[in-house]
Amino acid sequence: MPEPIGVGEPETGDQHGAFPRLTEDQLASLRAAGTVREAEAGEVLFRAGDDRYDFFAIEEGSVAIVDGYGRENRVIAVHGQHRFTGELNLLTGTVVYLTAVTRERSTLIQISADGLRDLVAQDEELSNLIMRAYLQRRAILLEADVGARVIGSRFSPDSRRMREFLARNRLPYRWIDVEEDEEAEALLRSLGVTAAETPVVIWTRGDVDRNPSISAVAARVGLSSAGPPPPICDLVVVGGGPAGLAAALYGASEGLDTQAVEAVALGGQASTSSRIENYLGFPAGISGSDLAERAAMQARKFGARLVVPGAAVRLESDDGHHTVHLDDGGSATGRTLIVATGAQYTRLSVPDLDRYEGLGVYYAATQTEAQWCLGDPVLIVGGGNSAGQAAVFLARHAASCSVIIRGGDLGKSMSRYLVDQIAQDDRVGVLRHTTVCELRGENGLEAVVLEDGSTGERREVPAKALFVFIGASPHTDWLRGSVAMDAKGFLLAGRDVQGDALAAYGSDRPLFLETSRPGIFAVGDVRSGSIKRVASAVGEGSMAVRLVHQRLASPGATQAELIRR
């Protein structure tokens, strides 16, 4: 048996609910659901790189959570009596990042991941305790420099794409920049890796992937639901933002065989919000990524299959079946389809923008971007809620933070609570009647040239990061020629479907949220005329499932007949 690790290390203090202690009643519930067993000192309970692992509650003794087991043996946390192991990957089924080792002879309660899911589904108090702890532990891991090592150049588009994917999906990893780390280049040489083969991913068990595809990385960490989908689902949901997750959750919970596909990360644009403070039920606010993780776990609990990444590229409909073709060559076919692909951020119209994207120009303000501009001056372009949330968040990390708007009234398109927060925060400035006209810097953004809209005067201001939130255009190119759209490419639905677009309905009309093709629904930001708020997107996603039931019950029925039923 290996020598115990972490002996002498103090028990990790509780951090915002990350390491709570179980009550006697909760321990009794766990005993009834699991197995009580003894473990010798130095026993490995689960290991980094495992596909799945069990839950352990400590009756007596202690357990060390270790990064780099057998090499660095870096102790990340110590669980003592009446605490428990695990983090989000135990519930989501993604790869294990750390190793758990007993420090001394211990008495443990062991429960399988499936058994734990069944237990927390019946015990609300225990469910809330474990869920909060696991969400907080994931947040700690994201800042703890653990997980697979990603080696590459910050100037490489492939490296930036890989880092964005990992960050957006809240997957812990270590970034090693060949431009800054003197040992990185030597490590690549020792592996026989050329610059063209970066980024390189070194997994926790030492195996190496050279410039892997995003799909390959997602499969390696177990990001998508396991197992192939059936040939035909009741419902396919395209898009994993708030609207899509709501549709997947309610579809699965109401007995529909449901598959959802998302191009980048569950949560969509909402997952890039550092804190949503006006969402019902969260008076202290909640980060977009936390909201997305909770929703995804709920959807999986009811049996929805979630696939990430999976970008839709083409729709094919035949005889009431709708097949969505994906960019990786796969497809998903359903009797009904809910389109929740949202919108993509509008890019600035300035020279050399491509050169700075990912090297100072960003379209999301998460913890990852905040770390990249720590202690540096930053600018935010836009006057909506996304820009306001970014300003309040980034002000805690940046040396200075200014919001740039074309007009003179910040409250014209931003919620009052955010306007008030910005006005009361001395760290945030507002540049009115101002536009960005030029970006400057050699190996990344160093300065931005601004133009005063009133005087035409131009001036250069230092900025290591420029965050852009200036509107969005819909992700609907893959649907052109299949369903009716407005002039901007947003999907028409319900009463907005007019004239020749009604041909597929004969003398009838589409249901509310139903597009010009029966059985295909549009929800959230992608729908023409929608209210661009998280709450309304969730409402539309859940509402669409009710309409799906109606369409499936009587595919040939008229709208009037469906309403009467």
Side-chain angles (χ1 to χ4, degrees):
M1 188 70 67
E3 288 295 321
I5 295 172
V7 175
E9 291 270 357
E11 184 181 45
T12 306
D14 195 10
Q15 302 173 36
H16 306 292
F19 304 103
R21 214 173 293 279
L22 298 161
T23 66
E24 288 296 337
D25 288 343
Q26 290 166 342
L27 286 167
S29 296
L30 293 170
R31 287 189 207 101
T35 302
V36 178
R37 73 174 185 87
E38 300 296 315
E40 297 298 326
E43 180 176 338
V44 175
L45 304 179
F46 53 82
R47 191 183 298 269
D50 288 348
D51 293 331
R52 57 188 296 129
Y53 63 110
D54 290 344
F55 170 94
F56 293 91
I58 298 102
E59 293 256 42
E60 299 287 343
S62 59
V63 175
I65 306 301
V66 181
D67 179 44
Y69 177 69
R71 302 186 305 275
E72 300 93 341
N73 288 331
R74 181 164 65 112
V75 176
I76 301 297
V78 173
H79 298 297
Q81 187 179 33
H82 295 182
R83 288 191 172 175
F84 55 89
T85 64
E87 65 104 29
L88 268 180
N89 52 14
L90 189 145
L91 299 177
T92 62
T94 52
V95 71
V96 181
Y97 304 109
L98 302 168
T99 299
V101 188
T102 54
R103 298 199 306 173
E104 58 199 296
R105 183 176 175 81
S106 301
T107 304
L108 308 170
I109 304 170
Q110 182 173 356
I111 306 176
S112 69
D114 290 339
L116 180 67
R117 292 189 193 98
D118 292 341
L119 177 61
V120 297
Q122 303 166 19
D123 189 327
E124 182 179 356
E125 182 181 358
L126 188 60
S127 174
N128 290 338
L129 180 81
I130 292 174
M131 177 65 74
R132 181 181 179 186
Y134 282 3
L135 286 168
Q136 290 296 329
R137 290 179 189 180
R138 175 56 62 90
I140 291 170
L141 288 187
L142 289 171
E143 298 183 7
D145 196 32
V146 303
R149 288 177 288 174
V150 179
I151 306 174
S153 167
R154 62 180 181 273
F155 304 118
S156 161
D158 287 338
S159 293
R160 294 202 300 269
R161 196 157 38 245
M162 178 70 69
R163 295 179 70 190
E164 180 186 10
F165 175 77
L166 294 170
R168 288 283 302 276
N169 285 282
R170 286 170 65 83
L171 299 172
Y173 73 99
R174 311 180 194 184
W175 166 245
I176 302 175
D177 195 324
V178 294
E179 265 77 39
E180 294 184 355
D181 193 313
E182 294 180 357
E183 297 180 1
E185 190 171 347
L187 177 57
L188 291 179
R189 282 199 303 269
S190 71
L191 295 171
V193 176
T194 66
E197 294 175 303
T198 58
V200 169
V201 182
I202 303 177
W203 300 98
T204 52
R205 289 192 172 177
D207 41 335
V208 178
D209 283 341
R210 306 179 184 204
N211 197 9
S213 67
I214 296 300
S215 295
V217 171
R220 184 65 178 262
V221 301
L223 193 59
S224 296
S225 299
I232 300 176
C233 305
D234 293 323
L235 171 63
V236 172
V237 181
V238 183
L245 285 173
L249 192 163
Y250 282 95
S253 70
E254 294 179 15
L256 297 177
D257 191 312
T258 303
Q259 173 154 340
V261 294
E262 161 58 36
V264 179
L266 295 175
Q269 288 188 28
S271 67
T272 67
S273 295
S274 56
R275 185 149 300 272
I276 302 170
E277 296 190 68
N278 59 351
Y279 189 70
L280 183 68
F282 294 92
I286 183 171
S287 74
S289 55
D290 279 356
L291 185 65
E293 281 173 340
R294 291 168 185 257
M297 279 188 279
Q298 281 181 290
R300 287 190 177 101
K301 179 180 76 172
F302 289 114
R305 288 182 300 278
L306 307 181
V307 176
V308 182
V313 294
R314 182 168 56 91
L315 174 67
E316 191 174 8
S317 296
D318 181 49
D319 194 26
H321 295 160
H322 310 287
T323 299
V324 179
H325 295 274
L326 306 177
D327 61 347
D328 63 358
S331 64
T333 301
R335 298 165 63 200
T336 57
L337 173 64
I338 292 178
V339 180
T341 45
Q344 57 194 350
Y345 286 116
T346 302
R347 302 168 76 236
L348 280 173
S349 180
V350 295
D352 294 330
L353 179 64
D354 290 348
R355 176 182 167 192
Y356 295 100
E357 287 180 317
L359 294 174
V361 174
Y362 308 107
Y363 300 92
T366 68
Q367 189 66 42
T368 299
E369 286 83 13
Q371 291 301 314
W372 291 346
C373 59
L374 189 65
D376 293 322
V378 304
L379 300 173
I380 300 167
V381 185
N385 279 2
S386 294
Q389 291 163 351
V392 172
F393 170 66
L394 291 169
R396 302 198 297 266
H397 302 270
S400 63
C401 181
S402 297
V403 179
I404 300 170
I405 57 174
R406 286 179 175 271
D409 182 9
L410 193 61
K412 184 176 181 180
S413 55
M414 188 181 294
S415 295
R416 175 50 54 185
Y417 80 93
L418 284 169
V419 175
D420 291 342
Q421 286 186 35
I422 288 173
Q424 295 165 13
D425 195 333
D426 294 337
R427 300 168 298 182
V428 182
V430 180
L431 303 177
R432 296 174 172 83
H433 304 293
T434 302
T435 57
V436 175
C437 54
E438 189 180 341
L439 308 177
R440 293 179 179 174
E442 290 299 321
N443 295 320
L445 188 67
E446 297 174 3
V448 174
V449 178
L450 303 177
E451 181 176 301
D452 188 310
S454 301
T455 65
E457 179 185 355
R458 292 191 174 190
R459 61 190 175 100
E460 180 181 294
V461 297
K464 287 299 181 71
L466 178 70
F467 293 85
V468 182
F469 302 99
I470 55 173
S473 57
H475 282 290
T476 55
D477 286 347
W478 64 284
L479 287 169
R480 293 197 179 278
S482 297
V483 294
M485 306 177 183
D486 66 15
K488 295 183 178 179
F490 291 91
L491 301 186
L492 297 172
R495 294 181 179 179
D496 291 334
V497 180
Q498 299 289 334
D500 294 342
L502 290 168
Y505 289 91
S507 60
D508 194 29
R509 302 278 302 182
L511 296 170
F512 180 59
L513 301 179
E514 195 170 26
T515 68
S516 61
R517 188 179 292 272
I520 299 180
F521 300 82
V523 297
D525 289 359
V526 77
R527 184 177 67 83
S528 178
S530 66
I531 298 172
K532 306 300 189 284
R533 290 289 185 272
V534 172
S536 60
V538 170
E540 288 190 9
S542 57
M543 189 189 312
V545 172
R546 171 58 180 158
L547 303 175
V548 163
H549 278 291
Q550 290 181 261
R551 182 55 69 192
L552 286 174
S554 301
T558 66
Q559 184 183 38
E561 288 173 335
L562 289 171
I563 291 173
R564 283 198 299 271
R565 293 176 186 179

